[in-house]
Amino acid sequence: MFREDVLKGQKILVTGGGTGLGRSMAEAYAAHGAEVVIWGRRGPVLEEAAEEIRAKTGGKVTPQAVDIRNPSAIDEAMEAIFAEGPLTGLVNNAAGNFISRTEDLSANAFNAIASIVAHGTFNTTVAAGRRWIAGGHRGNVISIVTTWVWTGSPFTVPSAMSKAGVAAMTQSLAVEWGPRGIRLNAIAPGPFPTKGAWERLMPEPLARKTGAGTGAGSIPLRRMGDHSELANLAVFLMAPGCDYLTGEVIAIDGGQWLATSGNFHSLTNLDDSDWEMIRAAIQATNAADRAKRTT
Ligand code: HXC
């Protein structure tokens, strides 16, 4: 889809870059000529991912074990990166989430999510931003959110609140830092299965009970997303030629949130004979009403 060297000369940090969607984006950046830094909590997982990405792409990949819940660890690692030359891009991908009835959540459970998604994303963004501003460098931030920023999300309230905050940060800083040459956008992925998210959002007992997560019935395009499709959008937003796009939250979900936020999304599963029956029933109602009016 893109020239292989479209990101040549760029240096991009991906938080949560050792696994899941972060790993897919990091690999796509390296495959398109960027130098990549990946952050994650588990050193050995990061080292292994970095080695695999290097082997696949031939790119330069630097792993740094950083827990973004720790502001001083963020600052220290960011300082080390910029000491060797500024980042050109940051992807705020690291997240935590699990489903639970909200009345069962403790204050600590809320913090477990908010400390990663809201606080960690803010602290990482500001650590990069203040260095871009001080050095007079341009910068580009992509934050991974969810479509829940528009709809809310029952049973995942700490995540929905935190991701909505990240979307607000994206819009706010796009304006505040725009004059400094810093762009911020967010991507709201729909269902792109990953081990980390699926085990916490669709644990096996729930999947067995509801059958949910196994099909794609609520998705107008009738399938889950492929990681390469998300990675393409992440490359596009970092690429030269995309320089006028800022402050946007872009959904990539096969149309799912538009479909499921209306009243009639389940009707997409009806077949021709269902629709013939429905049409006949409505026409019978109309005819009965007309008959009443003329008598
Ligand atoms: C109720 C729970 C709970 C549960 C934990 N807690 N699980 N409460 N129901 N199922 C409570 C605990 O009792 C504790 O509170 C507090 O939360 C912290 O628990 P810990 O076990 O100490 O959690 P911690 O080690 O901090 O790990 C939490 C986590 C972990 C960081 C969120 O799950 C994790 O590592 N996740 C990373 C990967 C991930 O989650 N990926 C999914 C992202 S998906 P008390 O009061 O007892 O101390 C995403 C959007 C997907 O973001 C969108 C798809 C469309």
Side-chain angles (χ1 to χ4, degrees), residues 139-249:
N140 192 354
V141 180
I142 299 172
S143 296
I144 304 302
V145 296
T146 65
T147 56
W148 311 336
V149 304
W150 299 302
T151 60
S153 179
F155 305 104
T156 50
V157 169
S159 170
M161 288 173 67
S162 300
K163 296 279 194 187
V166 172
M169 180 195 79
T170 299
Q171 294 176 316
S172 308
L173 289 180
V175 176
E176 189 176 330
W177 288 352
R180 312 298 194 119
I182 299 170
R183 294 193 295 120
L184 295 98
N185 292 288
I187 298 176
F192 287 83
T194 65
K195 191 171 178 324
W198 252 234
E199 284 175 354
R200 291 171 179 90
L201 300 178
M202 190 52 63
E204 184 48 35
L206 177 64
R208 237 181 303 126
K209 183 158 173 137
T210 64
T214 52
S218 69
I219 305 169
L221 294 183
R222 289 292 185 269
R223 64 175 175 86
M224 304 287 179
D226 187 274
H227 282 213
S228 67
E229 295 170 311
L230 180 83
N232 283 339
L233 178 56
V235 169
F236 169 74
L237 288 171
M238 286 293 179
C242 189
D243 296 323
Y244 205 51
L245 208 171
T246 195
E248 289 298 321
V249 181

Side-chain angles (χ1 to χ4, degrees), residues 41 69 95-100 104-106 108-109 112-113 116 146 148 159 163 189-190 196-197 200-201:
R41 285 173 293 177
R69 291 176 291 193
N97 201 0
F98 52 77
I99 52 167
S100 169
D104 294 339
L105 293 176
S106 64
N108 204 26
I113 305 305
I116 303 172
T146 65
W148 311 336
S159 170
K163 296 279 194 187
R200 291 171 179 90
L201 300 178

Side-chain angles (χ1 to χ4, degrees), residues 263-285:
N263 289 329
F264 300 117
H265 62 87
S266 60
L267 304 198
T268 56
N269 292 318
L270 300 187
D271 61 22
D272 288 348
S273 66
D274 294 323
W275 281 111
E276 275 161 32
M277 274 189 296
I278 289 166
R279 187 188 178 109
I282 294 171
Q283 284 178 334
T285 304

